Structures are given as C-alpha cells and as structure tokens.
Amino acid sequence: MPNLYVSGMERLSGKVKLQGAKNSALPILAASLIVRGTTILHNCPDLTDLRAALKILTSLGCDCSFCENTVTVDSRNVTGEIISEDLMREMRSSIMFLGAILARNGSATVTAPGGCELGPRPIDIHLKALEELGYAVEENEGYITCKKSVTKDKVEISLNFPSVGATENIILASCVSKSRVIVHNAAKEPEITDLAAFINRAGGKVYGAGTDRIEIFGVSRLSSVEHNVIPDRIVASTFMSASVVTGGDICVSGIIPEHLTAICSTYRELGSSVTIDNNELRIVSDSRPLGIDTVRSSVYPGFPTDAGPLLISALAKAEGTSVFVETIFDNRFNYVDELKRMGADIKVYGRLAVINGKSRLSGAKVKCTDLRGGAAAVIAALSAEGESVITDIHHIERGYENISGVLRSLNAKIIKE
Ligand code: EPZ
C-alpha cells in the first residue's frame, strides 16, 4: 500500500484549481439513475468514492464512463433495485442511492450503511421520511427493503435534524413521483442546492433548496442532462490551512465565494490575509497563526464539521489556546492522537477539543484515521520539522484528487510511494 512521505517546513506558494465537490457529485450520480437517458457530469473529481458510486450504478444496469473529470451515465436500461453488501460497504454514503432507486423502481433493497470512523451513522431520519412518503420499510438481518405502499397527493415532512443525506434522499425519492412534498427543517448545504439544480435541469420541480423549506412537485420523468458540479469548499479550506501552517501565499481558483463565508472569517481570525476576487481566493499567512477562543462546527452556513480537522491542524501551531466544539458528529477527533505523535498539544473531552498551540512540531510516522483526519495529518506534516510518513492514505483518496501532486505544485516536499 502506498504512503505519503513529507519533508516539512517548506513555504507553500502558488495557484491551484479547486476540484469539484465529492459531496455534490455523489448525490447527483445517484440522481442520474432516475434520468431516463444520459447524464453528462463535468468537474467530477477522480476519487475512490466516485469510482465506488459508478460501480453501484453499473450494478444497477447503467453504462458509465469517466474521462478527465467528466462522468457519463446512460441509465436507459436500469433494471436493478438491490445494492450488494460489498458495494454498500465500499462507500458509507451509498444510502443516498436508496431514494434514487425508489424513484426509478418503486422498491429497493440495500444494506444498512453501518458505522464509520466518525461513529455510528444512523439512518433513522432517512427511513422515517421514506415511511411518511408512503413507503413500507422493513429492516432484517442488516438489509433494508422499501416498497411503495401508499401514494399520497401531498406530504409534509419535518426533520428532527437538518440531515444532509436525509434531505437528499427525500428529494431523490420525490422528484419523480405523483406527490407534492414539503420538507421543513431541511439541510441548507450548497450540495443540496446543486442536487436540486441538476434535477431541475433534467425536468424536475424542486424549489427552496438552500433554505430550510424545500418543496418538491413530483414529475413523470427526468430527461437527459448536462451539469457542472460545484467546487469543493472543504478542499478549499485544506489549502487555506496549508498556507497558514507554512507561512505561505496560496491562490485557490474556481471557488464560489458564498460557500466559504464562515471558513474565510475563521481563517482571518487566525491572522491570515484572505482576499477574494471573483472566483479566486488568495490567502497570505506571514506570521505564526493566532489561537481562536472558541470555534463551533454547525450546519450550513456555519463553520462546516468537515473543515474542523483542517482548522485544528492549523491551531496546533498557533499562539495561545483554542477550543473547538464539534456539534454534528459523535466521534470526530480520532485523528488527534496522530497529531499528538508530532508533538501537538490537544486534549479531547467528548465533542470538545482544547488546542494549546506549539511553536514547533516534529515529523513522525502517522496514520490516516478518516478522510478529513488524514488531510489534517498531511497539513501537520507540512508544518513539522523533519520527515513524516503518512500511512493508510486510502482514506484521503476518498476525497482528495492527487493531493501529493497538487501540494507539490505549491512547493511542498511530498511524494506518494
Ligand atoms: C454528509 O454526511 C456528508 N457526506 C459528510 O461529509 C458531512 O460531514 C455531513 O453531511 C454534515 O455536513 C456526504 O455528503 C457524502 P448528516 P451525512 O445526515 O449526510 C446524524 C465527508 O467527509 N443523523 O447531515 O451522513 C448523524 O449521525 C463526510 O465528506 C442521524 O442521527 O450527514 C450526524 O451526527 C463526512 N440520523 C448528523 O446527523 C440520520 O438518519 C449529521 O448527519 C441521519 C443523520
């Protein structure tokens, strides 16, 4: 298995083009199953999670191709409605195919996605919503089977938590149906807005995406469509942390400014200069970062939970003490022990982390515990004196396209071997 080898303390500078958003491409690929025709999706990052999604689509009868960040899916001959256990295990977020299969076939069988590195990944909100949409849901021996049992003209669903995945599954299951569905307390993430834009471009009627009230008027079919995936705001924050910890000067092109409002204001609190010109962000960090009293992760438009590990890897070298409060996941700090192997002084109390900034970190052999925790380890290695070896990098490759190549283009001394 390859590892990443990093020689730290190099000042990063230069310009990178931001990759497409994994968490937008995945639900849109699920939606391509509903399209009775061809989907052409541009700006798709070449990631193992996307490759896994294409395997699922192929297993259901789609013809898929992936060439230079463009994915083509021909779903005219979809027959399947069962996703095998190993395909479900390959990608935790395959639960979002459930809504798409139901919209296409009216019934579906998937395995429960099970827990992951961030703790249990319950799907109770998803399943409760599907029952309210008129599906009979049965769970036994780890399999979940849904079958349309009642067609309702109008359904109003109130989510007890603005779950991103559950909001996406409701949109997917309802966009081709005979129902009008109103979702209250819906998730407002940009990836939801991108999914709705894709569906509407294909002939759907999804209104209010990006707000906490979404209305879906089911249509009879979705037709062939071409779409560009939005850029990845979490990958943007990764390059911002790389600038902070190396005293660098990095331009990130291809951003959507309003997706980064909370992230930019937080990185300005670190003491970096963050400027935005159209769709390009420049972050210049010419002094040691400043600690931040308290940062809380929250649902959009607050500071994203996925950007937490990248921020904490920057706070590990800041002046002073910072506190990060994680409000979304139970188990988001597994990677902290790996940063401590480099000398970071971080104490975790449940969903709260106290970071005492250190003036220096030392290279070490560390492992990736999850996708964003692995990226945090890379950022810490860039800021550490000496050599680091990062193992289990398959976690990182779920969400970052060619991270070593991109960082090398910014002057980092990093190789994958
Ligand atoms: C999506 O996960 C993202 N994944 C996550 O990114 C992201 O961290 C998360 O949204 C929050 O923004 C994808 O889009 C593929 P949730 P999702 O449903 O949909 C609880 C990454 O690294 N919950 O909003 O699973 C859940 O346990 C990943 O790219 C229930 O209790 O997030 C969590 O504590 C990590 N019951 C909270 O809600 C449910 O039925 C947020 O979950 C569903 C969720």
Side-chain angles (χ1 to χ4, degrees), residues 22-23 121-126 163-165 306 328-329 372:
K22 164 179 88 80
N23 292 348
R121 297 298 287 271
I123 56 171
D124 53 310
I125 303 174
H126 297 244
S163 155
V164 172
D306 292 348
I328 306 293
F329 286 103
R372 309 299 171 185

Side-chain angles (χ1 to χ4, degrees), residues 79-82 97-110 126-140 143-152 173:
T79 49
E81 58 177 63
I82 298 174
F97 281 85
L98 180 54
I101 299 171
L102 292 174
R104 183 70 191 244
N105 292 331
S107 58
T109 300
V110 297
H126 297 244
L127 300 183
K128 181 169 174 287
L130 291 174
E131 285 174 335
E132 290 180 55
L133 289 173
Y135 288 95
V137 177
E138 274 182 37
E139 295 179 70
N140 51 19
Y143 280 87
I144 298 163
T145 301
C146 300
K147 270 190 190 338
K148 190 75 172 169
S149 68
V150 177
T151 295
K152 303 177 181 179

Side-chain angles (χ1 to χ4, degrees), residues 166-331:
T167 303
E168 290 165 347
N169 246 333
I170 295 166
I171 292 172
L172 290 165
S174 315
C175 62
V176 168
S177 71
K178 294 185 170 63
S179 306
R180 175 185 167 210
V181 178
I182 299 170
V183 188
H184 299 285
N185 196 27
K188 301 184 280 191
E189 273 66 11
E191 293 76 26
I192 308 257
T193 306
D194 203 24
L195 172 63
F198 171 83
I199 289 172
N200 291 344
R201 185 167 290 154
K205 292 180 180 173
V206 181
Y207 306 120
T211 75
D212 60 4
R213 184 184 183 281
I214 297 177
E215 194 158 7
I216 304 124
F217 294 84
V219 296
S220 55
R221 61 180 291 144
L222 296 184
S223 307
S224 294
V225 55
E226 194 161 357
H227 184 79
N228 285 298
V229 173
I230 59 170
D232 194 313
R233 56 202 171 100
I234 308 304
V235 172
S237 77
T238 309
F239 296 127
M240 295 171 78
S241 279
S243 164
V244 169
V245 300
T246 63
D249 178 352
I250 296 176
C251 283
V252 183
S253 65
I255 65 160
I256 296 177
E258 61 265 24
H259 293 173
L260 295 168
T261 308
I263 289 171
C264 288
S265 63
T266 302
Y267 278 74
R268 289 186 182 111
E269 280 192 74
L270 287 171
S272 292
S273 154
V274 182
T275 50
I276 289 180
D277 176 15
N278 285 327
N279 69 350
E280 186 167 295
L281 174 147
R282 184 179 180 191
I283 178 165
V284 183
S285 312
D286 48 19
S287 58
R288 186 178 169 194
L290 306 170
I292 303 177
D293 280 353
T294 304
V295 184
R296 276 180 185 75
S297 65
S298 72
V299 296
Y300 192 83
F303 190 87
T305 174
D306 292 348
L310 294 330
L311 177 66
I312 286 176
S313 59
L315 291 170
K317 284 205 70 181
E319 268 177 55
T321 298
S322 310
V323 174
F324 189 92
V325 184
E326 168 59 34
T327 67
I328 306 293
F329 286 103
D330 286 333
N331 206 7

